[in-house]
Amino acid sequence: MAVPDLTLTGPAAVTTPAPTIMTQPTGVTAVVGQAASFLVVTTGTPSPIYPWRKSGAALAGKTNSALTLASVTTADARSDDVVVTNSVGSVTSSAVPSSSRPPTLRR
């Protein structure tokens, strides 16, 4: 049995989803001098970018799904969020509180 050719006519509607946050980043308490990381898990087509913000101000060069602060200082106590963006739309994560504490001395 032969299969007939399929012909599409007229505009084809293609729906691409705006970004959706599947897992919100969570807050951390980090020891001064150590690393701290935040992660957001998303979906969306095309793949989104992730501009992270510190207290509402963009963090230069921080556009991946993970934000890592290499060596936390007391100045890093703040509230961060991430604006997940693609060509279809954007969504902002909940605020992520972070705090730092001095290292504990042990004898």
Side-chain angles (χ1 to χ4, degrees):
M1 174 187 282
V3 176
D5 292 336
L6 177 63
T7 304
L8 297 176
T9 59
V14 177
T15 304
T16 56
T20 301
I21 295 175
M22 305 302 290
T23 304
Q24 294 279 346
T26 58
V28 298
T29 298
V31 175
V32 170
Q34 294 186 354
S37 295
F38 306 95
L39 177 68
V40 63
V41 178
T42 65
T43 62
T45 304
S47 296
I49 60 168
Y50 307 87
W52 287 87
R53 302 185 303 183
K54 172 184 176 181
S55 301
L59 293 170
K62 305 295 185 181
T63 57
N64 295 316
S65 60
L67 170 65
T68 299
L69 306 174
S71 181
V72 174
T73 69
T74 55
D76 288 317
R78 73 234 199 161
S79 179
D80 291 281
D81 65 12
V82 59
V83 181
V84 183
T85 305
N86 69 12
S87 60
V88 181
S90 65
V91 62
T92 302
S93 74
S94 56
V96 182
S98 61
S99 60
S100 58
R101 64 177 176 80
T104 303
L105 299 175
R106 296 186 183 168
R107 293 182 183 232

